[in-house]
Amino acid sequence: MTKKSYLLLLVTVLGVATIRAAGPTIAIDAASPAGKVSPYFYGLMTEEINHSYDGGLYGELVRNRALLDDPAAPAHWSAVQGDGASAAIALDPGEPLNHTIGTSLRLDVSQASKDHAAGMANEGYWGIPVKPNTRYHASFYAKAAPGFSGPIALSIQSTDGRTIYATATVSGVTQTWKQYDVTLQTRSVAPTTSARYVLTIDRPGQLWFSLVSLFPPTFKDQANGFRPDIMQMMVDMKPKFLRFPGGNYLEGDQIADRFEWKKTIGPLADRPGHRAPWGYRSTDGLGLYEFLLWCEDMNADPVLAVYAGYSLKGVHVNPGVDLEPYVQDALDEIEYVMGPATSKWGALRAKAGHPQPFKLTYVEVGNEDWFDKSLSYDQRFAQFNAAIKARYPQLKLISTVGFEQPENLRVHSVKPDVIDEHYYRTVEVFLKMARGQYEKYDRRGPEVFVGEWAAYETPFEPWNPRSRGEPPTPNMWAAIGDAAFMTQMEKNSDIVVMNGYAPMFVNVNPGARQWRPNLIGYDGLSVFGSPSYHAIKMFSTHLGDQILKATATDTDVLVSATRDSRSGTIYVKLVNSSDAEAPIQLDLQGVRTLASAATTEVLAADPKATNSIDAPGTVVPVTSKISGVKSGFTYKVPAHGIAVVTLETH
Ligand code: AHR
């Protein structure tokens, strides 16, 4: 060994020793930002799955209100009779409400009296939720055979009929279809979902019913609106966008089952609903207009996915002439969203109550078109791209085939503005992806939208029916995987411009779900956030607009640092996947004055711990103040913990 190389070795060894002596360190370079945080961080993705809308966010409590769920029987309805009262119910396609709703529910009461009424009951979505001191809005279409004009008694009652929670009466029923409206008010009752919605008469008669509806109070009291508690969960996340309507729900199993937006707007009596891919029919009560109001209610932008000529069972529309009507449909849809009130489709939006155009920046062409093994997506995308850009050059178009898919499935004939990547991976894979997945992406674009992602922690893939034996929402270990991946996306949000966890919702009742894990769970009365929900909310509500370079030494703790350029506030997100507390020296370089007091928000728990309807607060973030903060201070990240340290600088 030469003297020079000996000295070099010594310097290296001493150097290493010096670094080691400093211990686990994260150095944050606040002198100059490394990039801009995307203004579209964070967002939400939604579709009708796991009873996300019907039996979920959409306020309707009556199940199968239009009687179209099953052509063979009035599913979820039953006759109410007994004690001398006698009734029969049946579907009656001979007496449809109109051309759209091609059937009705016929009620034949052969015997009934004031003391023993007869009629029909709806079981709701796993019960009708009864809340104290609550006003319910009931409506229905009805007509009667000659000889009967009423009254019809409406009631929310216990499933055995013994307890009446709220009642109302409608009279003056005629022999032509007419809509009736009335309110029902509960008193000081104990909340329950063991209830049903009942319509009875107290004398013999024959009646037909359609669109039998019961709404509890909705978010911002919107007609045909949303469940306030579920809406609030999303509003609290401060989402920047909502990607809708899917997901598989956009495509349908067959072309005829796609989300045909024109059939989802206007009066409910003009919406037939449709066969959706997740095993149950959609009412489309939550249609295109409601999706847009939902965005507005959250102060989020719509990310509109348009049907692009591919459906799940492997059928596609050939690019060229065959595809033209679908392209036109997308152009019409965009006009409905953002066209002036004087335009053909903008006028319909105005008629619905929103003359102002909605803001639209991103349009996604299809969903997961890598499944289209005919390789037609390249040409289909190009056709949509040309037509949409010709009319709306300001729009950014998203291809549904990302870099995680084989080269031959991607779009090549034009350069998409954005590509959508989907990741459903184990926590362990997400922990690996957190270490560099997006560093290698070409900054010249296209930009990346991680349109669906979720870490799962069970042996079962999310779509595996065996996963239905597991809790519907993920546990703390999954939240660690999610948070780890978020540090990676955030650090690279100059190129990863949007992301959205999926699926967002699950009705936790038996049989309601097709997928796990899911972010937010609910039954008829309550809603809860999974640990992953809390992790995402921690990230999305502590963000800023500048990415700061954060270099970790001698630690496996993952980090993302960002700053709000207006206030100077720095957010340091730390994820510790190990089972030991991790003390980290936080060096802040390039900060002039650092306030000695800081705030921390910490989510830490046993990796198996989770939340549920009965225990919604098992894993929730804890906010604390810390003092003695200066560059080089030590912060201890709890075992299996996710922490956001908020530092004030001047
Ligand atoms: O999020 C559930 C499903 O996963 C989506 O519908 C689909 O896009 C993906 O395969």
Side-chain angles (χ1 to χ4, degrees):
M1 184 178 279
T2 63
K3 192 174 166 194
K4 197 175 160 199
S5 54
Y6 173 76
L7 276 174
L8 244 174
L9 180 70
L10 196 66
V11 167
T12 313
V13 169
L14 283 176
V16 169
T18 312
I19 291 164
R20 285 230 171 101
T25 304
I26 289 176
I28 295 163
D29 180 1
S32 51
K36 279 190 189 157
V37 174
S38 165
Y40 283 89
F41 257 49
Y42 284 75
L44 299 174
M45 185 273 170
T46 181
E47 68 173 317
E48 180 58 286
I49 184 173
N50 305 321
H51 286 274
S52 290
Y53 313 148
D54 294 340
L57 179 67
Y58 182 51
E60 179 63 80
L61 300 180
V62 173
R63 190 163 182 182
N64 194 18
R65 67 182 176 193
L67 286 307
L68 295 170
D69 277 11
D70 180 347
H76 310 293
W77 289 92
S78 58
V80 174
Q81 54 185 343
D83 288 338
S86 170
I89 57 168
L91 293 179
D92 193 348
E95 297 286 351
L97 176 64
N98 56 25
H99 288 305
T100 306
I101 315 255
T103 193
S104 64
L105 180 56
R106 194 181 65 233
L107 171 67
D108 288 292
V109 172
S110 50
Q111 247 184 305
S113 65
K114 285 214 172 351
D115 291 338
H116 301 294
M120 58 197 207
N122 186 271
E123 64 187 14
Y125 293 94
W126 296 273
I128 297 282
V130 179
K131 291 187 179 173
N133 307 311
T134 300
R135 188 181 284 254
Y136 294 74
H137 176 230
S139 66
F140 57 86
Y141 286 84
K143 68 177 193 173
F148 183 87
S149 62
I152 302 172
L154 320 175
S155 62
I156 302 172
Q157 53 179 251
S158 56
T159 44
D160 61 8
R162 292 210 179 119
T163 311
I164 307 296
Y165 298 112
T167 54
T169 308
V170 164
S171 311
V173 184
T174 68
Q175 279 138 50
T176 49
W177 283 113
K178 194 180 147 206
Q179 192 176 24
Y180 300 87
D181 272 276
V182 70
T183 55
L184 289 83
Q185 169 85 39
T186 58
R187 294 180 192 283
S188 169
V189 293
T192 180
T193 53
S194 293
R196 59 184 187 167
Y197 180 49
V198 174
L199 295 91
T200 53
I201 57 177
D202 60 7
R203 64 204 69 179
Q206 186 178 48
L207 293 109
W208 291 265
F209 291 91
S210 186
L211 279 179
V212 185
S213 168
L214 183 69
F215 264 79
T218 56
F219 189 76
K220 292 188 178 171
D221 287 330
Q222 271 165 20
N224 196 42
F226 311 120
R227 240 177 88 165
D229 54 349
I230 302 180
M231 271 304 288
Q232 197 56 49
M233 293 288 284
M234 293 182 283
V235 169
D236 290 348
M237 296 172 87
K238 297 198 167 80
K240 298 287 174 37
F241 68 85
L242 178 71
R243 171 181 172 234
F244 65 84
N248 291 358
Y249 184 59
L250 170 71
E251 303 163 80
D253 279 348
Q254 306 292 345
I255 296 173
D257 304 328
R258 69 192 184 278
F259 183 81
E260 254 190 283
W261 72 271
K262 285 176 184 162
K263 293 184 176 171
T264 74
I265 55 170
L268 296 181
D270 294 343
R271 303 188 197 185
H274 73 285
R275 210 175 75 88
W278 293 107
Y280 57 96
R281 232 183 116 79
S282 170
T283 63
D284 289 333
L286 199 163
L288 178 59
Y289 184 65
E290 288 75 23
F291 277 115
L292 294 165
L293 292 184
W294 174 1
C295 294
E296 193 165 77
D297 285 345
M298 301 190 300
N299 199 19
D301 284 4
V303 171
L304 178 70
V306 297
Y307 179 74
Y310 176 76
S311 291
L312 290 159
K313 295 291 181 200
V315 276
H316 77 275
V317 181
N318 283 324
V321 184
D322 291 356
L323 195 62
E324 272 168 18
Y326 299 90
V327 174
Q328 187 56 49
D329 224 40
L331 289 171
D332 295 346
E333 188 171 9
I334 295 168
E335 185 176 287
Y336 183 91
V337 176
M338 64 181 288
T342 48
S343 62
K344 179 178 172 193
W345 295 102
L348 278 190
R349 183 201 63 237
K351 196 171 161 203
H354 206 286
Q356 256 332 89
F358 289 93
K359 183 181 169 206
L360 186 66
T361 305
Y362 290 99
V363 172
E364 177 150 17
V365 181
N367 178 60
E368 295 192 340
D369 287 80
W370 69 77
F371 282 113
D372 177 8
K373 300 302 182 239
S374 76
L375 304 187
S376 71
Y377 187 58
D378 187 19
Q379 292 306 311
R380 287 190 288 112
F381 181 87
Q383 195 170 334
F384 275 89
N385 189 68
I388 296 173
K389 288 265 164 114
R391 188 134 154 228
Y392 303 100
Q394 73 276 31
L395 290 180
K396 290 191 174 191
L397 293 203
I398 306 170
S399 149
T400 69
V401 187
F403 289 123
E404 88 286 23
Q405 298 300 331
E407 174 94 32
N408 66 327
L409 301 177
R410 297 183 209 149
V411 170
H412 294 288
S413 52
V414 287
K415 184 177 176 185
D417 299 306
V418 186
I419 48 136
D420 182 357
E421 302 192 339
H422 293 179
Y423 295 105
Y424 297 104
R425 303 282 193 272
T426 61
V427 176
E428 291 69 24
V429 171
F430 265 36
L431 286 169
K432 275 193 203 125
M433 286 167 68
R435 294 170 209 284
Q437 162 83 4
Y438 286 116
E439 261 105 73
K440 54 184 188 287
Y441 273 49
D442 189 339
R443 265 43 198 177
R444 289 170 303 178
E447 293 174 334
V448 177
F449 174 22
V450 186
E452 295 179 25
W453 62 271
Y456 62 93
E457 75 288 29
T458 66
F460 311 114
E461 292 160 321
W463 48 89
N464 186 333
R466 291 171 73 192
S467 78
R468 289 177 207 158
E470 303 285 333
T473 53
N475 66 19
M476 182 66 203
W477 183 235
I480 299 260
D482 292 328
F485 187 50
M486 281 190 284
T487 63
Q488 176 65 195
M489 289 193 287
E490 217 173 71
K491 276 196 281 206
N492 291 281
S493 77
D494 57 321
I495 189 74
V496 182
V497 293
M498 301 190 283
N499 78 81
Y501 185 102
M504 180 157 55
F505 294 145
V506 64
N507 184 315
V508 300
N509 279 295
R513 83 169 124 118
Q514 297 80 43
W515 190 278
R516 93 165 293 282
N518 307 288
L519 200 63
I520 295 170
Y522 45 79
D523 63 7
L525 288 172
S526 320
V527 60
F528 68 95
S530 63
S532 297
Y533 165 83
H534 292 292
I536 296 173
K537 188 172 145 206
M538 283 165 67
F539 274 59
S540 67
T541 55
H542 298 90
L543 195 53
D545 54 341
Q546 296 177 331
I547 303 167
L548 300 182
K549 187 168 181 221
T551 312
T553 308
D554 257 6
T555 177
D556 284 336
V557 168
L558 290 155
V559 60
S560 161
T562 53
R563 174 170 57 195
D564 183 329
S565 62
R566 281 150 308 182
S567 62
T569 305
I570 292 178
Y571 303 105
V572 185
K573 285 145 188 162
L574 301 158
V575 181
N576 179 9
S577 59
S578 84
D579 54 8
E581 180 184 78
I584 303 281
Q585 180 180 311
L586 281 176
D587 288 342
L588 283 126
Q589 297 153 359
V591 173
R592 257 187 288 151
T593 327
L594 185 60
S596 63
T599 311
T600 60
E601 196 173 352
V602 175
L603 189 71
D606 182 291
K608 290 204 170 77
T610 194
N611 296 331
S612 64
I613 290 283
D614 295 331
T618 306
V619 187
V620 288
V622 176
T623 303
S624 322
K625 297 269 177 221
I626 52 172
S627 55
V629 170
K630 56 182 184 187
S631 182
F633 79 106
T634 297
Y635 178 73
K636 294 177 181 161
V637 194
H640 299 127
I642 302 163
V644 180
V645 182
T646 303
L647 302 164
E648 302 300 342
T649 69
H650 305 289

